[in-house]
Amino acid sequence: MIQLSNINKIFNPGTVNEVKALTNINLEVNNGDFVTIIGTNGSGKTTLLNLITGSFFPDTGIISIDGKNVTREKDYKRARYISRVFQNPYSGSAPKMTIAENLLIAYTRNGHRNPVISLTSKLRNYFREQVAMLEMQLEDRLDNVVGMLSGGQRQAVTLLMAVLKSPKVLLLDEHTAALDPKSAAQVISLTKRMIEEKNLTAIMITHSMQQALDLGNRTLMLYKGEIIDDISANEKRRLTVDDLLGKFSDLRKREKLTEDVLTKLKSEYI
Ligand SMILES: Nc1ncnc2c1ncn2[C@@H]1O[C@H](COP(=O)(O)OP(=O)(O)OP(=O)(O)O)[C@@H](O)[C@H]1O
Ligand SMILES: [Mg+2]
């Protein structure tokens, strides 16, 4: 469903602020894959999603989605078939509009031929059913403005908006990181259920190693702009959080060693 070939992205090249955000990324995500991504701060996780959505373009390489080369396709066009949920629960919905109105926007997105359709009673019933599935006691509050909801409820509505029209690709960028533990757990189980029920292809960035192991059929580890591990469903079942932490600290140790060796070499020979 998603294919990234030889992707490189450098920010501010040739300046003191140069950052090699992604280096030689090759990745194939199959239809129906649910991929979790972990990696240290600044390892390029969000940049990877930004390239998939077309927020900016890669310096080199090709991005294909569902067999089509979209490397230079604008983000608003890709938004018809890619949905994204961000960390901030206040960013994915319009606070002064009601739950029903927000859902109507999501419903008429995705290249709908006639975007100005009204909220018919049939559609309203459909939204009610969908909102009931969130199990957040919101089904009788369709006419409440979204700004009145709690962070967890609002992120659940945002998630529903994101999957309402079954996008080809669902991208989640630490979408529960700003929620309290109870709401986060609720939104995570909702995420799992929606992805399974709609058989979506999804990529979820998380800072929780446990979540990364528990969810999805594949986990990628990013480190300094590179994919350093691609863990299969079978391997995930066997791994513990300690094993994952071990993989990261091994990398750091190896790097430290190289740095020390280099410093020593430099002091002795240069
Ligand atoms: N638009 C931009 N302009 C300049 N530098 C950027 C831009 N976006 C990201 N970067 C840099 O690229 C690197 C990767 O950033 P990215 O946001 O992808 O990391 P991340 O893995 O998502 O980190 P975090 O876990 O903190 O969210 C960082 O050094 C960041 O400062
Ligand atoms: Mg990020």
Side-chain angles (χ1 to χ4, degrees):
M1 179 56 81
I2 307 170
Q3 196 168 26
L4 305 180
S5 317
N6 302 316
I7 297 293
N8 284 280
K9 182 72 195 174
I10 302 179
F11 290 110
N12 310 312
T15 72
V16 285
N17 295 322
E18 178 173 301
V19 182
K20 286 197 175 87
L22 289 174
T23 307
N24 203 26
I25 298 290
N26 287 289
L27 175 67
E28 263 188 55
V29 177
N30 297 317
N31 194 7
D33 266 357
F34 178 5
V35 181
T36 56
I37 300 188
I38 47 170
T40 42
N41 290 117
S43 56
K45 304 179 297 296
T46 297
T47 303
L48 189 72
L49 297 198
N50 280 331
L51 288 172
I52 295 172
T53 56
S55 303
F56 40 68
F57 298 149
D59 302 329
T60 68
I62 292 175
I63 302 172
S64 300
I65 296 175
D66 202 12
K68 185 178 160 222
N69 183 340
V70 298
T71 315
R72 302 274 147 190
E73 186 177 65
K74 294 264 169 50
D75 55 353
Y76 69 89
K77 285 194 175 158
R78 286 188 224 184
R80 289 182 190 149
Y81 55 88
I82 300 178
S83 285
R84 184 171 188 177
V85 182
F86 294 91
Q87 182 170 339
N88 183 351
Y90 306 109
S91 71
S93 49
K96 290 185 178 156
M97 295 174 88
T98 65
I99 295 179
E101 286 165 347
N102 270 282
L103 288 171
L104 188 63
I105 291 174
Y107 188 79
T108 54
R109 222 186 46 169
N110 299 0
H112 201 282
R113 275 176 179 276
N114 178 15
V116 199
I117 60 168
S118 59
L119 191 60
T120 57
S121 60
K122 191 171 161 221
L123 206 47
R124 208 183 150 76
N125 285 338
Y126 172 66
F127 289 166
R128 199 171 188 283
E129 270 167 32
Q130 294 291 311
V131 169
M133 276 167 36
L134 300 178
E135 294 173 359
M136 291 222 170
Q137 284 75 51
L138 291 175
E139 52 275 24
D140 295 321
R141 296 177 62 185
L142 283 188
D143 296 320
N144 282 182
V145 293
V146 160
M148 281 170 54
L149 307 182
S150 72
Q153 287 174 328
R154 199 154 160 191
Q155 199 67 325
V157 170
T158 300
L159 192 62
L160 178 57
M161 289 168 68
V163 302
L164 198 61
K165 295 301 287 278
S166 297
K168 285 185 183 174
V169 175
L170 174 67
L171 303 174
L172 307 163
D173 194 346
E174 299 194 47
H175 69 307
T176 63
L179 304 178
D180 64 90
K182 191 168 165 264
S183 309
Q186 260 180 307
V187 172
I188 281 295
S189 82
L190 199 58
T191 305
K192 193 168 171 248
R193 198 150 46 95
M194 285 177 170
I195 291 173
E196 274 168 13
E197 274 171 19
K198 294 188 175 250
N199 195 25
L200 299 175
T201 305
I203 302 181
M204 181 180 107
I205 297 173
T206 174
H207 261 114
S208 157
M209 304 224 175
Q210 194 62 58
Q211 256 177 30
L213 286 179
D214 290 347
L215 297 172
N217 63 330
R218 197 172 164 191
T219 298
L220 301 179
M221 283 173 72
L222 256 70
Y223 187 70
K224 295 194 171 175
E226 292 183 54
I227 298 175
I228 52 134
D229 214 337
D230 186 346
I231 306 166
S232 68
N234 269 342
E235 202 185 341
K236 265 155 72 81
R237 272 190 283 276
R238 279 189 283 112
L239 283 180
T240 63
V241 167
D242 278 344
D243 295 331
L244 279 187
L245 283 170
K247 281 180 188 251
F248 279 119
S249 68
D250 280 354
L251 271 169
R252 289 213 183 95
K253 268 188 221 144
R254 228 182 297 156
E255 240 173 51
K256 181 89 177 61
L257 199 66
T258 338
E259 270 169 33
D260 286 349
V261 172
L262 277 175
T263 318
K264 192 160 177 286
L265 279 172
K266 274 185 190 157
S267 65
E268 283 175 12
Y269 295 106
I270 301 170

